[in-house]
Amino acid sequence: MIKDLLKETENHMKGAIEATKREFQSIRTSRANPNILEKVHVEYYGTPTPLNQLANISVPDARSLVIQPWDKSVLSVIEKAIQKADLGLNPVNDGTVIRLPIPQLTEERRKELVKVIKKEAEEKRVAIRNLRRDTNDKLKALEKDGKITEDENKKALDDVQKLTDRFITEVDKLLDMKEKEIMEV
């Protein structure tokens, strides 16, 4: 019973870490990374479709992306979707592919992005703490109902705290890595 509850809590906390990684990948740095286009959806035959399902996205060098759609008729629609996504990028459509030059980030923009990732990291820390609180409440209820002993409850609460500390440390590590990546010139 306690094991299952701890496993469930750990899985939810792992989910928060995965969400943090996905969010951080979609935040642009000075380096070309196809993940910045993750949230771009293109109207394709009336259906919003992820860009990576309509085209091959490659990284020819550190400062550009090339988007090569499988269906050339959607080039202009892809171009508009990228502009609408407000990524701060200007697509260049040459009729067969879309080139996406990645400009150097200004100091001001870097600081804005750091604020964004710090806010995101704090949201994930709060989510992890909320999971801890929910699990602790369930453990206390189990003890109150006589399903577990006071000693089992104390040990389980301690285990939940260790899990929480471990995952919050993981969020902090991800934040530090992304901050360094953003701030490097």
Side-chain angles (χ1 to χ4, degrees), residues 32 36-37 51 55-61 63-69 72 75-76 78-80 82-83 88-103:
I36 63 173
L37 300 173
L51 177 58
N56 184 31
I57 303 168
S58 59
V59 185
D61 58 61
R63 292 265 179 242
S64 64
L65 294 172
V66 173
I67 302 159
Q68 188 166 18
K72 302 282 184 235
L75 268 171
S76 61
I78 291 173
E79 185 179 8
K80 287 184 182 105
I82 292 169
Q83 289 167 338
L89 301 173
N90 294 315
V92 179
N93 182 347
D94 71 5
T96 56
V97 297
I98 294 176
R99 295 183 194 290
L100 216 53
I102 311 291

Side-chain angles (χ1 to χ4, degrees), residues 14-62:
K14 281 180 184 172
I17 295 299
E18 291 307 311
T20 305
K21 288 177 182 175
R22 280 193 307 278
E23 281 299 317
F24 285 2
Q25 284 179 341
S26 69
I27 293 174
R28 175 169 98 75
T29 59
S30 293
R31 259 187 264 128
N33 182 344
N35 292 327
I36 63 173
L37 300 173
E38 197 94 346
K39 294 179 181 174
V40 176
H41 284 69
V42 180
E43 276 297 316
Y44 188 62
Y45 292 108
T47 307
T49 308
L51 177 58
N52 61 5
Q53 292 180 12
L54 294 174
N56 184 31
I57 303 168
S58 59
V59 185
D61 58 61

